[in-house]
C-alpha cells in the first residue's frame, strides 16, 4: 500500500510457515522401502558398520532399527529435533556436533561421503508411524539419551483454518538423559510404535490376498486369463481378520540358512522365476514384504552379492568396450590383460574399499546385498557369442563456469551391460547412485531416451556412480531429480550418447552374425515358408538382429516341436497338440518366429504361449 503512495518498491525477505515442515513430517516418501532406505542412509552417515531392522513380520506391530554408529549426545539430539530441514551435515555446525569430518564437512567423521544433507531423514518414519522413540549413546560418554516423538498429522482439507498468528506445531518430543556405566557402548536404536494400519496392510500384501479372494469368487465369470492375479511363489504368510496367521509362510530360505545364504536364495529364486515373464517384470512372484526387501537392498550402500561390476576381469566371457565422451564418438574395444579388471585398466574409483571396511544391513535375519549379477552366458537368443560390457567415466568443471551456472564439479563412472535377456526384468534400465546410495529404481526409459530402440532397451542394465555433484539436483524425497539442473542434463546427454555407442556396436556385431547366417542359408534351398518367415523377421526387427534360435526337445514323445524361442520357453501339451495331426512341423516353427518378431510372446507365460500356438494351429487343423 505504501508503494502506491510513494512509488518506491517494497523490499523484504521470503518467510516460510511451519505448515511446510508439517507436510514433510506427514510423509514425503512413496513406499515403505523408501522410509527404511532413509534410516539406513542415516546409519551409514553416522559411521555404522552394521544396521539391523526387526519388522515383527507378518504382524508389523512394532518395528525396531538399530545401528552401531557413533550415536548422539543430548546436544546433538536437541539439534536434530529442533532443526528439521536444517541438517548439521555438510556444515561447520556439524564439526561442533561431531556429525561430520573435522577437515571436510561433506564426509562422515570416518571419511565416508555423506548421503544425507537436508535433515529430514529421521522423519522418514512418518511414512510408517507418527509415534517413535530414539535411544542413542555416543562412545566415550556415560550419557544415554532417549527421545519420544509424536508427530502431528497435517490435514489439508481441514474445515476451519485458524486465523491465529501461531504457527502449526508439527510435533512434540520428550527427551530424557540418564547415566550409564557402559562408557564404550555406542549407536542408535529407533523404535516405531503404533505402525499405521495402511502400512501394515501393505507389507502384509492384503491387496494381493483380497484380489485372489475376489478372483476365486468370480472364477466362473472370468473373461480371460491375461490379467489374472496369482498367488506369490514366496510370501510371509497371510494374516486373517482376527490377527492370526491363516496361511503359512513360503520363503525361499530355511531357518538353518545364515543371513547371506538367505539373501542368496531370495536372489536365486527371483532369477530362476522364468516360468512367467511378467513375474520378472514386476517381481510379482514375491509378496509386498519380499519386494520391499529386494528394493531396499537395491538402494542401500551395501556390497554386491557377487562382485562389483568394475571388478570384472578379462577372464569373463564378455566383449569389453570403452565408452567415448565425445558427442559423436564410438566405443572402442577394451583389452584386459590377464588377471586385470575393468577397474584397474580404466582407473575407476567406484566401489573401492569403505573407510570402515564395510557396511552391512540386516532385515529380519536376512543380510542385504545389491541384487545385481552379470552372467557371462547369454540368457536368450544364442546368435551372438557373448554378453557385452561397456564402461566409461567423466570428470568435468564445465569449462570453469561459475557454480551458479554449472552447479559445480561433476564426476561419475558408469557401465552398460548387454545380454539377450535381462533377468529379472526389473533390472532393465539405468540406475543412478549418488555416494553409493539410490532413491530410485532402474529407469527403463534411460532418462528419456527417445530413439525407438525398444528391443535394445530391454536388453540392457546400466548403473551410474556419481562421485561428485548431482546432489543439488536431488529433490527432497531423494526419489526424483530436478530435470533442468545442469548436472542432470549432463548425465542425461552422456547416457544417451553411451546408449547410441552401445547400439551401434551391437548392430555391427549383429550385422556380422546376420551376414554369416545369410551366407549359410544362401547355400540351402529355402522353401516359400522359410523365405516368408525371414522377410517378416527382417521387416519387424531389421537386418542386424539374427533370427531367433528354436530349440527342439524337452518331450520324450516328440523332439520336433520347439520348446524355446529366444529364451522364452514354450511348453507343448502332447494331449492337445499331437504331432501326428500336424501336416508340417516347420509351420509351427514359422508361427513361433513370426509371433516373436511382433513381440507377442514376451509378455505371456509358458501356459499362455502354449495356448496361443495351440489356438492358431487349431484353425488350420482338419
Amino acid at each position: 500500500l505504501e508503494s502506491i503512495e510513494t512509488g518506491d518498491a517494497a523490499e523484504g525477505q521470503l518467510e516460510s510457515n511451519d505448515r511446510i515442515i508439517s507436510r514433510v513430517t506427514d510423509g514425503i516418501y512413496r513406499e515403505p522401502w523408501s522410509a527404511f532406505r532413509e534410516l539406513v542412509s542415516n546409519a551409514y552417515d553416522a559411521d555404522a558398520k552394521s544396521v539391523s531392522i526387526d519388522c515383527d513380520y507378518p504382524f508389523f506391530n512394532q518395528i525396531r532399527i538399530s545401528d552401531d554408529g557413533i550415536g548422539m549426545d543430548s546436544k546433538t539430539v536437541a539439534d536434530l529435533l529442533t532443526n528439521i530441514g536444517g541438517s548439521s551435515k555438510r556444515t561447520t555446525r556439524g564439526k561442533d556436533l561431531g556429525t561430520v569430518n573435522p577437515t571436510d564437512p561433506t564426509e562422515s567423521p570416518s571419511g565416508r561421503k555423506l548421503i544425507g544433507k537436508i535433515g529430514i531423514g529421521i522423519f522418514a518414519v512418518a511414512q510408517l508411524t507418527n509415534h517413535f522413540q530414539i535411544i542413542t549413546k555416543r562412545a566415550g560418554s556415560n550419557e544415554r539419551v532417549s527421545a519420544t516423538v509424536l508427530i502431528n498429522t497435517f490435514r489439508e482439507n481441514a474445515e476451519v483454518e485458524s486465523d491465529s498468528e501461531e504457527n502449526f506445531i508439527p510435533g512434540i518430543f520428550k527427551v530424557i538423559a540418564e547415566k550409564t556405566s557402559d562408557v564404550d557402548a555406542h549407536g542408535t536404536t529407533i523404535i516405531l510404535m503404533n505402525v499405521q494400519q495402511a502400512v501394515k496392510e501393505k507389507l502384509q500384501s492384503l491387496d494381493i490376498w483380497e484380489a485372489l479372494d475376489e478372483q476365486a469368487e468370480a472364477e466362473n465369470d472370468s473373461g480371460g486369463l491375461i490379467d489374472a492375479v496369482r498367488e506369490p511363489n514366496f510370501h510371509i504368510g497371510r494374516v486373517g481378520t482376527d490377527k492370526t496367521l491363516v496361511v503359512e509362510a513360503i520363503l525361499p530360505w530355511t531357518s538353518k540358512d545364515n543371513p547371506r545364504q538367505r539373501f542368496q536364495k531370495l536372489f536365486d529364486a527371483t532369477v530362476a522365476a522364468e516360468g512367467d515373464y511378467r513375474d520378472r517384470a514386476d517381481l510379482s512372484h514375491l509378496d509386498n514384504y519380499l519386494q520391499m526387501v529386494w528394493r531396499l537392498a537395491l538402494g542401500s550402500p551395501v556390497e554386491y552379492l557377487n562382485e562389483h561390476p568394475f571388478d570384472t576381469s578379462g577372464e569373463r566371457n564378455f566383449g569389453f568396450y570403452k565408452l567415448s565422451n565425445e558427442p559423436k564418438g564410438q566405443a572402442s574395444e577394451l583389452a584386459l590383460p590377464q588377471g586385470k579388471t575393468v577397474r584397474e585398466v580404466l582407473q575407476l574409483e567406484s566401489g573401492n574399499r569403505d573407510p570402515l571396511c564395510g557396511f552391512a544391513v540386516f532385515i529380519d535375519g536376512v543380510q542385504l546385498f545389491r541384487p545385481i549379477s552379470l552372467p557371462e552366458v547369454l540368457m536368450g537368443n544364442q546368435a551372438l557369442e557373448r554378453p557385452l560390457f561397456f564402461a566409461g567415466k567423466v570428470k568435468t568443471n564445465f569449462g570453469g563456469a561459475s557454480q551458479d551456472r554449472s552447479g559445480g564439479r561433476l564426476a561419475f563412472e558408469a557401465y552398460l551391460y548387454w545380454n539377450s535377456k535381462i533377468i529379472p526384468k526389473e533390472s532393465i534400465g539405468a540406475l543412478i547412485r549418488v555416494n553409493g546410495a539410490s532413491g530410485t529404481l532402474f529407469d527403463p526409459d534411460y532418462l528419456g531416451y527417445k530413439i525407438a530402440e525398444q528391443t535394445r532397451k530391454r536388453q540392457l542394465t546400466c548403473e551410474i556412480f556419481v562421485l561428485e555433484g548431482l546432489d543439488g539436483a536431488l529433490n527432497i524425497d531423494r526419489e526424483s531429480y530436478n530435470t533442468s539442473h545442469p548436472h542432470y542434463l549432463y548425465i542425461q546427454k552422456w547416457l544417451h550418447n553411451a546408449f547410441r555407442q552401445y547400439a551401434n556396436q551391437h548392430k555391427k556385431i549383429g550385422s556380422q552374425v546376420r551376414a554369416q547366417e545369410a551366407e549359410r542359408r544362401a547355400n540351402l534351398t529355402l522353401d516359400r515358408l522359410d523365405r516368408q518367415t525371414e522377410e517378416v523377421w527382417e521387416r519387424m526387427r531389421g537386418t542386424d538382429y539374427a533370427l531367433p534360435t528354436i530349440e527342439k526337445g524337452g518331450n520324450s514323445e516328440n523332439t520336433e516341436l520347439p520348446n524355446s524361442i529366444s529364451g522364452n520357453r514354450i511348453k507343448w501339451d502332447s494331449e492337445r497338440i499331437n504331432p501326428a495331426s500336424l501336416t508340417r512341423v516347420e509351420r509351427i516353427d514359422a508361427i513361433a518366429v513370426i509371433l516373436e518378431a511382433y513381440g507377442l510372446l514376451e509378455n505371456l507365460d509358458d501356459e499362455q504361449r502354449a495356448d496361443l500356438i495351440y489356438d492358431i494351429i487349431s484353425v488350420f487343423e482338419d
Side-chain angles (χ1 to χ4, degrees), residues 57-58 232-237 248-255 257 262 265-266 269 285-287 289-290 293 364 366:
Y57 78 77
N233 296 350
F234 302 102
H235 55 78
I236 57 173
E248 292 294 328
I250 301 177
L251 298 169
W253 60 80
T254 70
S255 58
D257 293 322
R262 294 185 182 196
K265 289 189 175 181
L266 172 64
H285 60 288
L286 304 178
D287 71 354
Y289 169 81
L290 293 175
V293 171
D364 297 317
V366 179

PDB file of all heavy atoms in Angstrom, residues 57-58 232-237 248-255 257 262 265-266 269 285-287 289-290 293 364 366:
ATOM      1  N   TYR A  57       7.495 -59.230  11.401  1.00  0.00           N
ATOM      2  CA  TYR A  57       6.564 -59.721  10.387  1.00  0.00           C
ATOM      3  C   TYR A  57       5.971 -61.043  10.842  1.00  0.00           C
ATOM      4  O   TYR A  57       6.603 -61.782  11.596  1.00  0.00           O
ATOM      5  CB  TYR A  57       7.244 -59.845   9.019  1.00  0.00           C
ATOM      6  CG  TYR A  57       8.132 -61.051   8.797  1.00  0.00           C
ATOM      7  CD1 TYR A  57       7.600 -62.321   8.544  1.00  0.00           C
ATOM      8  CD2 TYR A  57       9.523 -60.922   8.803  1.00  0.00           C
ATOM      9  CE1 TYR A  57       8.411 -63.420   8.329  1.00  0.00           C
ATOM     10  CE2 TYR A  57      10.338 -62.019   8.573  1.00  0.00           C
ATOM     11  CZ  TYR A  57       9.774 -63.263   8.344  1.00  0.00           C
ATOM     12  OH  TYR A  57      10.586 -64.347   8.129  1.00  0.00           O
ATOM     13  N   PRO A  58       4.783 -61.443  10.441  1.00  0.00           N
ATOM     14  CA  PRO A  58       3.915 -60.754   9.475  1.00  0.00           C
ATOM     15  C   PRO A  58       2.921 -59.771  10.104  1.00  0.00           C
ATOM     16  O   PRO A  58       1.990 -59.331   9.447  1.00  0.00           O
ATOM     17  CB  PRO A  58       3.165 -61.920   8.841  1.00  0.00           C
ATOM     18  CG  PRO A  58       2.975 -62.877   9.966  1.00  0.00           C
ATOM     19  CD  PRO A  58       4.231 -62.782  10.788  1.00  0.00           C
ATOM     20  N   PRO A 232       1.630 -65.209  -4.863  1.00  0.00           N
ATOM     21  CA  PRO A 232       3.097 -65.142  -4.952  1.00  0.00           C
ATOM     22  C   PRO A 232       3.731 -66.498  -4.656  1.00  0.00           C
ATOM     23  O   PRO A 232       3.242 -67.248  -3.797  1.00  0.00           O
ATOM     24  CB  PRO A 232       3.457 -64.111  -3.866  1.00  0.00           C
ATOM     25  CG  PRO A 232       2.213 -63.315  -3.652  1.00  0.00           C
ATOM     26  CD  PRO A 232       1.078 -64.260  -3.884  1.00  0.00           C
ATOM     27  N   ASN A 233       4.782 -66.792  -5.366  1.00  0.00           N
ATOM     28  CA  ASN A 233       5.507 -68.038  -5.101  1.00  0.00           C
ATOM     29  C   ASN A 233       6.090 -68.049  -3.696  1.00  0.00           C
ATOM     30  O   ASN A 233       6.183 -69.097  -3.054  1.00  0.00           O
ATOM     31  CB  ASN A 233       6.638 -68.226  -6.111  1.00  0.00           C
ATOM     32  CG  ASN A 233       6.128 -68.396  -7.526  1.00  0.00           C
ATOM     33  OD1 ASN A 233       4.944 -68.552  -7.750  1.00  0.00           O
ATOM     34  ND2 ASN A 233       7.037 -68.362  -8.485  1.00  0.00           N
ATOM     35  N   PHE A 234       6.509 -66.852  -3.245  1.00  0.00           N
ATOM     36  CA  PHE A 234       7.121 -66.730  -1.924  1.00  0.00           C
ATOM     37  C   PHE A 234       6.451 -65.584  -1.168  1.00  0.00           C
ATOM     38  O   PHE A 234       6.245 -64.497  -1.712  1.00  0.00           O
ATOM     39  CB  PHE A 234       8.628 -66.478  -2.058  1.00  0.00           C
ATOM     40  CG  PHE A 234       9.331 -67.568  -2.823  1.00  0.00           C
ATOM     41  CD1 PHE A 234       9.689 -67.381  -4.147  1.00  0.00           C
ATOM     42  CD2 PHE A 234       9.617 -68.775  -2.218  1.00  0.00           C
ATOM     43  CE1 PHE A 234      10.326 -68.382  -4.860  1.00  0.00           C
ATOM     44  CE2 PHE A 234      10.246 -69.789  -2.925  1.00  0.00           C
ATOM     45  CZ  PHE A 234      10.600 -69.594  -4.249  1.00  0.00           C
ATOM     46  N   HIS A 235       6.143 -65.840   0.091  1.00  0.00           N
ATOM     47  CA  HIS A 235       5.447 -64.826   0.890  1.00  0.00           C
ATOM     48  C   HIS A 235       5.667 -65.108   2.373  1.00  0.00           C
ATOM     49  O   HIS A 235       6.150 -66.186   2.757  1.00  0.00           O
ATOM     50  CB  HIS A 235       3.949 -64.802   0.557  1.00  0.00           C
ATOM     51  CG  HIS A 235       3.273 -66.138   0.698  1.00  0.00           C
ATOM     52  ND1 HIS A 235       2.907 -66.657   1.930  1.00  0.00           N
ATOM     53  CD2 HIS A 235       2.898 -67.069  -0.222  1.00  0.00           C
ATOM     54  CE1 HIS A 235       2.329 -67.837   1.759  1.00  0.00           C
ATOM     55  NE2 HIS A 235       2.322 -68.118   0.461  1.00  0.00           N
ATOM     56  N   ILE A 236       5.294 -64.139   3.215  1.00  0.00           N
ATOM     57  CA  ILE A 236       5.484 -64.268   4.663  1.00  0.00           C
ATOM     58  C   ILE A 236       4.228 -64.789   5.351  1.00  0.00           C
ATOM     59  O   ILE A 236       4.133 -64.765   6.576  1.00  0.00           O
ATOM     60  CB  ILE A 236       5.879 -62.905   5.281  1.00  0.00           C
ATOM     61  CG1 ILE A 236       4.825 -61.839   4.978  1.00  0.00           C
ATOM     62  CG2 ILE A 236       7.255 -62.478   4.783  1.00  0.00           C
ATOM     63  CD1 ILE A 236       5.064 -60.512   5.683  1.00  0.00           C
ATOM     64  N   GLY A 237       3.277 -65.281   4.553  1.00  0.00           N
ATOM     65  CA  GLY A 237       2.037 -65.795   5.121  1.00  0.00           C
ATOM     66  C   GLY A 237       0.927 -64.768   5.057  1.00  0.00           C
ATOM     67  O   GLY A 237       1.142 -63.604   4.711  1.00  0.00           O
ATOM     68  N   GLU A 248       0.316 -70.219   6.052  1.00  0.00           N
ATOM     69  CA  GLU A 248       1.709 -70.307   6.470  1.00  0.00           C
ATOM     70  C   GLU A 248       2.636 -69.685   5.427  1.00  0.00           C
ATOM     71  O   GLU A 248       2.362 -69.710   4.230  1.00  0.00           O
ATOM     72  CB  GLU A 248       2.104 -71.766   6.704  1.00  0.00           C
ATOM     73  CG  GLU A 248       1.421 -72.412   7.898  1.00  0.00           C
ATOM     74  CD  GLU A 248       1.837 -71.797   9.217  1.00  0.00           C
ATOM     75  OE1 GLU A 248       3.005 -71.348   9.325  1.00  0.00           O
ATOM     76  OE2 GLU A 248       1.000 -71.740  10.139  1.00  0.00           O
ATOM     77  N   ALA A 249       3.740 -69.159   5.910  1.00  0.00           N
ATOM     78  CA  ALA A 249       4.725 -68.522   5.024  1.00  0.00           C
ATOM     79  C   ALA A 249       5.396 -69.549   4.122  1.00  0.00           C
ATOM     80  O   ALA A 249       5.580 -70.702   4.493  1.00  0.00           O
ATOM     81  CB  ALA A 249       5.766 -67.791   5.849  1.00  0.00           C
ATOM     82  N   ILE A 250       5.726 -69.099   2.912  1.00  0.00           N
ATOM     83  CA  ILE A 250       6.550 -69.878   1.986  1.00  0.00           C
ATOM     84  C   ILE A 250       7.725 -68.984   1.608  1.00  0.00           C
ATOM     85  O   ILE A 250       7.569 -67.998   0.884  1.00  0.00           O
ATOM     86  CB  ILE A 250       5.768 -70.289   0.725  1.00  0.00           C
ATOM     87  CG1 ILE A 250       4.545 -71.138   1.092  1.00  0.00           C
ATOM     88  CG2 ILE A 250       6.673 -71.045  -0.239  1.00  0.00           C
ATOM     89  CD1 ILE A 250       3.692 -71.524  -0.102  1.00  0.00           C
ATOM     90  N   LEU A 251       8.898 -69.303   2.121  1.00  0.00           N
ATOM     91  CA  LEU A 251      10.084 -68.481   1.906  1.00  0.00           C
ATOM     92  C   LEU A 251      11.126 -69.273   1.109  1.00  0.00           C
ATOM     93  O   LEU A 251      11.166 -70.498   1.187  1.00  0.00           O
ATOM     94  CB  LEU A 251      10.674 -68.049   3.251  1.00  0.00           C
ATOM     95  CG  LEU A 251       9.743 -67.188   4.123  1.00  0.00           C
ATOM     96  CD1 LEU A 251      10.313 -67.043   5.522  1.00  0.00           C
ATOM     97  CD2 LEU A 251       9.513 -65.826   3.491  1.00  0.00           C
ATOM     98  N   PRO A 252      11.978 -68.580   0.373  1.00  0.00           N
ATOM     99  CA  PRO A 252      12.979 -69.291  -0.433  1.00  0.00           C
ATOM    100  C   PRO A 252      14.123 -69.868   0.394  1.00  0.00           C
ATOM    101  O   PRO A 252      14.937 -70.621  -0.129  1.00  0.00           O
ATOM    102  CB  PRO A 252      13.481 -68.221  -1.406  1.00  0.00           C
ATOM    103  CG  PRO A 252      13.218 -66.931  -0.720  1.00  0.00           C
ATOM    104  CD  PRO A 252      11.977 -67.138   0.096  1.00  0.00           C
ATOM    105  N   TRP A 253      14.224 -69.492   1.662  1.00  0.00           N
ATOM    106  CA  TRP A 253      15.288 -69.983   2.529  1.00  0.00           C
ATOM    107  C   TRP A 253      14.703 -70.799   3.678  1.00  0.00           C
ATOM    108  O   TRP A 253      13.487 -70.846   3.871  1.00  0.00           O
ATOM    109  CB  TRP A 253      16.105 -68.815   3.077  1.00  0.00           C
ATOM    110  CG  TRP A 253      15.290 -67.843   3.895  1.00  0.00           C
ATOM    111  CD1 TRP A 253      14.892 -67.976   5.197  1.00  0.00           C
ATOM    112  CD2 TRP A 253      14.764 -66.582   3.455  1.00  0.00           C
ATOM    113  NE1 TRP A 253      14.151 -66.891   5.594  1.00  0.00           N
ATOM    114  CE2 TRP A 253      14.064 -66.015   4.551  1.00  0.00           C
ATOM    115  CE3 TRP A 253      14.834 -65.879   2.253  1.00  0.00           C
ATOM    116  CZ2 TRP A 253      13.437 -64.775   4.459  1.00  0.00           C
ATOM    117  CZ3 TRP A 253      14.195 -64.652   2.177  1.00  0.00           C
ATOM    118  CH2 TRP A 253      13.503 -64.110   3.267  1.00  0.00           C
ATOM    119  N   THR A 254      15.572 -71.431   4.434  1.00  0.00           N
ATOM    120  CA  THR A 254      15.158 -72.200   5.602  1.00  0.00           C
ATOM    121  C   THR A 254      15.728 -71.549   6.858  1.00  0.00           C
ATOM    122  O   THR A 254      16.625 -70.694   6.787  1.00  0.00           O
ATOM    123  CB  THR A 254      15.655 -73.655   5.524  1.00  0.00           C
ATOM    124  OG1 THR A 254      17.081 -73.674   5.687  1.00  0.00           O
ATOM    125  CG2 THR A 254      15.283 -74.282   4.189  1.00  0.00           C
ATOM    126  N   SER A 255      15.237 -71.968   7.994  1.00  0.00           N
ATOM    127  CA  SER A 255      15.694 -71.406   9.262  1.00  0.00           C
ATOM    128  C   SER A 255      17.161 -71.742   9.536  1.00  0.00           C
ATOM    129  O   SER A 255      17.817 -71.074  10.345  1.00  0.00           O
ATOM    130  CB  SER A 255      14.821 -71.923  10.403  1.00  0.00           C
ATOM    131  OG  SER A 255      14.864 -73.341  10.455  1.00  0.00           O
ATOM    132  N   ASP A 257      19.570 -71.569   7.273  1.00  0.00           N
ATOM    133  CA  ASP A 257      20.447 -70.761   6.427  1.00  0.00           C
ATOM    134  C   ASP A 257      20.950 -69.541   7.185  1.00  0.00           C
ATOM    135  O   ASP A 257      20.204 -68.921   7.966  1.00  0.00           O
ATOM    136  CB  ASP A 257      19.709 -70.309   5.164  1.00  0.00           C
ATOM    137  CG  ASP A 257      19.376 -71.473   4.248  1.00  0.00           C
ATOM    138  OD1 ASP A 257      20.209 -72.386   4.139  1.00  0.00           O
ATOM    139  OD2 ASP A 257      18.278 -71.468   3.655  1.00  0.00           O
ATOM    140  N   ARG A 262      20.442 -66.674   3.006  1.00  0.00           N
ATOM    141  CA  ARG A 262      19.026 -66.341   2.833  1.00  0.00           C
ATOM    142  C   ARG A 262      18.839 -65.364   1.676  1.00  0.00           C
ATOM    143  O   ARG A 262      17.945 -65.535   0.848  1.00  0.00           O
ATOM    144  CB  ARG A 262      18.454 -65.761   4.133  1.00  0.00           C
ATOM    145  CG  ARG A 262      18.410 -66.767   5.260  1.00  0.00           C
ATOM    146  CD  ARG A 262      17.741 -66.222   6.505  1.00  0.00           C
ATOM    147  NE  ARG A 262      17.767 -67.217   7.578  1.00  0.00           N
ATOM    148  CZ  ARG A 262      17.015 -67.154   8.664  1.00  0.00           C
ATOM    149  NH1 ARG A 262      16.180 -66.138   8.845  1.00  0.00           N
ATOM    150  NH2 ARG A 262      17.098 -68.099   9.583  1.00  0.00           N
ATOM    151  N   LYS A 265      19.483 -67.107  -1.648  1.00  0.00           N
ATOM    152  CA  LYS A 265      18.365 -67.935  -2.083  1.00  0.00           C
ATOM    153  C   LYS A 265      17.198 -67.086  -2.569  1.00  0.00           C
ATOM    154  O   LYS A 265      16.478 -67.485  -3.494  1.00  0.00           O
ATOM    155  CB  LYS A 265      17.936 -68.868  -0.953  1.00  0.00           C
ATOM    156  CG  LYS A 265      18.947 -69.979  -0.689  1.00  0.00           C
ATOM    157  CD  LYS A 265      18.423 -71.019   0.276  1.00  0.00           C
ATOM    158  CE  LYS A 265      19.408 -72.167   0.421  1.00  0.00           C
ATOM    159  NZ  LYS A 265      18.900 -73.229   1.347  1.00  0.00           N
ATOM    160  N   LEU A 266      17.013 -65.918  -1.960  1.00  0.00           N
ATOM    161  CA  LEU A 266      15.983 -64.996  -2.471  1.00  0.00           C
ATOM    162  C   LEU A 266      16.341 -64.552  -3.875  1.00  0.00           C
ATOM    163  O   LEU A 266      15.488 -64.530  -4.775  1.00  0.00           O
ATOM    164  CB  LEU A 266      15.867 -63.784  -1.546  1.00  0.00           C
ATOM    165  CG  LEU A 266      14.963 -62.638  -2.034  1.00  0.00           C
ATOM    166  CD1 LEU A 266      13.513 -63.097  -2.135  1.00  0.00           C
ATOM    167  CD2 LEU A 266      15.073 -61.424  -1.114  1.00  0.00           C
ATOM    168  N   ALA A 269      15.973 -67.517  -6.357  1.00  0.00           N
ATOM    169  CA  ALA A 269      14.568 -67.817  -6.637  1.00  0.00           C
ATOM    170  C   ALA A 269      13.973 -66.785  -7.581  1.00  0.00           C
ATOM    171  O   ALA A 269      13.144 -67.107  -8.442  1.00  0.00           O
ATOM    172  CB  ALA A 269      13.768 -67.851  -5.327  1.00  0.00           C
ATOM    173  N   HIS A 285       6.132 -62.594  -8.273  1.00  0.00           N
ATOM    174  CA  HIS A 285       6.249 -63.887  -7.608  1.00  0.00           C
ATOM    175  C   HIS A 285       6.691 -63.716  -6.157  1.00  0.00           C
ATOM    176  O   HIS A 285       6.773 -64.685  -5.413  1.00  0.00           O
ATOM    177  CB  HIS A 285       7.231 -64.790  -8.361  1.00  0.00           C
ATOM    178  CG  HIS A 285       8.603 -64.218  -8.457  1.00  0.00           C
ATOM    179  ND1 HIS A 285       8.894 -63.156  -9.275  1.00  0.00           N
ATOM    180  CD2 HIS A 285       9.759 -64.529  -7.833  1.00  0.00           C
ATOM    181  CE1 HIS A 285      10.168 -62.852  -9.163  1.00  0.00           C
ATOM    182  NE2 HIS A 285      10.720 -63.667  -8.283  1.00  0.00           N
ATOM    183  N   LEU A 286       6.992 -62.466  -5.751  1.00  0.00           N
ATOM    184  CA  LEU A 286       7.290 -62.124  -4.367  1.00  0.00           C
ATOM    185  C   LEU A 286       6.143 -61.302  -3.800  1.00  0.00           C
ATOM    186  O   LEU A 286       5.556 -60.485  -4.506  1.00  0.00           O
ATOM    187  CB  LEU A 286       8.581 -61.310  -4.268  1.00  0.00           C
ATOM    188  CG  LEU A 286       9.855 -61.911  -4.875  1.00  0.00           C
ATOM    189  CD1 LEU A 286      11.005 -60.929  -4.716  1.00  0.00           C
ATOM    190  CD2 LEU A 286      10.194 -63.251  -4.249  1.00  0.00           C
ATOM    191  N   ASP A 287       5.828 -61.478  -2.524  1.00  0.00           N
ATOM    192  CA  ASP A 287       4.797 -60.637  -1.914  1.00  0.00           C
ATOM    193  C   ASP A 287       5.375 -59.250  -1.640  1.00  0.00           C
ATOM    194  O   ASP A 287       6.556 -58.975  -1.901  1.00  0.00           O
ATOM    195  CB  ASP A 287       4.230 -61.294  -0.654  1.00  0.00           C
ATOM    196  CG  ASP A 287       5.221 -61.313   0.508  1.00  0.00           C
ATOM    197  OD1 ASP A 287       6.387 -60.923   0.323  1.00  0.00           O
ATOM    198  OD2 ASP A 287       4.823 -61.732   1.615  1.00  0.00           O
ATOM    199  N   TYR A 289       6.181 -57.651   1.053  1.00  0.00           N
ATOM    200  CA  TYR A 289       7.275 -57.584   2.019  1.00  0.00           C
ATOM    201  C   TYR A 289       8.597 -57.965   1.362  1.00  0.00           C
ATOM    202  O   TYR A 289       9.606 -57.269   1.508  1.00  0.00           O
ATOM    203  CB  TYR A 289       6.990 -58.490   3.210  1.00  0.00           C
ATOM    204  CG  TYR A 289       8.185 -58.669   4.123  1.00  0.00           C
ATOM    205  CD1 TYR A 289       8.503 -57.708   5.072  1.00  0.00           C
ATOM    206  CD2 TYR A 289       9.003 -59.793   4.015  1.00  0.00           C
ATOM    207  CE1 TYR A 289       9.612 -57.854   5.895  1.00  0.00           C
ATOM    208  CE2 TYR A 289      10.117 -59.947   4.834  1.00  0.00           C
ATOM    209  CZ  TYR A 289      10.410 -58.981   5.775  1.00  0.00           C
ATOM    210  OH  TYR A 289      11.511 -59.127   6.582  1.00  0.00           O
ATOM    211  N   LEU A 290       8.628 -59.073   0.625  1.00  0.00           N
ATOM    212  CA  LEU A 290       9.858 -59.514  -0.012  1.00  0.00           C
ATOM    213  C   LEU A 290      10.283 -58.563  -1.130  1.00  0.00           C
ATOM    214  O   LEU A 290      11.484 -58.369  -1.371  1.00  0.00           O
ATOM    215  CB  LEU A 290       9.693 -60.934  -0.545  1.00  0.00           C
ATOM    216  CG  LEU A 290       9.522 -62.020   0.532  1.00  0.00           C
ATOM    217  CD1 LEU A 290       9.234 -63.366  -0.095  1.00  0.00           C
ATOM    218  CD2 LEU A 290      10.750 -62.097   1.425  1.00  0.00           C
ATOM    219  N   VAL A 293      12.108 -55.870   0.636  1.00  0.00           N
ATOM    220  CA  VAL A 293      13.463 -56.298   0.959  1.00  0.00           C
ATOM    221  C   VAL A 293      14.371 -56.154  -0.261  1.00  0.00           C
ATOM    222  O   VAL A 293      15.492 -55.637  -0.173  1.00  0.00           O
ATOM    223  CB  VAL A 293      13.456 -57.755   1.468  1.00  0.00           C
ATOM    224  CG1 VAL A 293      14.881 -58.279   1.604  1.00  0.00           C
ATOM    225  CG2 VAL A 293      12.730 -57.849   2.803  1.00  0.00           C
ATOM    226  N   ASP A 364      15.299 -58.705   9.485  1.00  0.00           N
ATOM    227  CA  ASP A 364      14.659 -59.946   9.930  1.00  0.00           C
ATOM    228  C   ASP A 364      15.517 -61.170   9.616  1.00  0.00           C
ATOM    229  O   ASP A 364      15.034 -62.186   9.102  1.00  0.00           O
ATOM    230  CB  ASP A 364      13.282 -60.082   9.289  1.00  0.00           C
ATOM    231  CG  ASP A 364      12.346 -58.969   9.725  1.00  0.00           C
ATOM    232  OD1 ASP A 364      12.322 -58.642  10.918  1.00  0.00           O
ATOM    233  OD2 ASP A 364      11.650 -58.401   8.851  1.00  0.00           O
ATOM    234  N   VAL A 366      17.985 -61.479   7.434  1.00  0.00           N
ATOM    235  CA  VAL A 366      18.481 -61.569   6.063  1.00  0.00           C
ATOM    236  C   VAL A 366      19.478 -60.440   5.833  1.00  0.00           C
ATOM    237  O   VAL A 366      19.153 -59.273   6.058  1.00  0.00           O
ATOM    238  CB  VAL A 366      17.327 -61.471   5.038  1.00  0.00           C
ATOM    239  CG1 VAL A 366      17.869 -61.533   3.619  1.00  0.00           C
ATOM    240  CG2 VAL A 366      16.297 -62.563   5.281  1.00  0.00           C
TER     241      VAL A 366
END
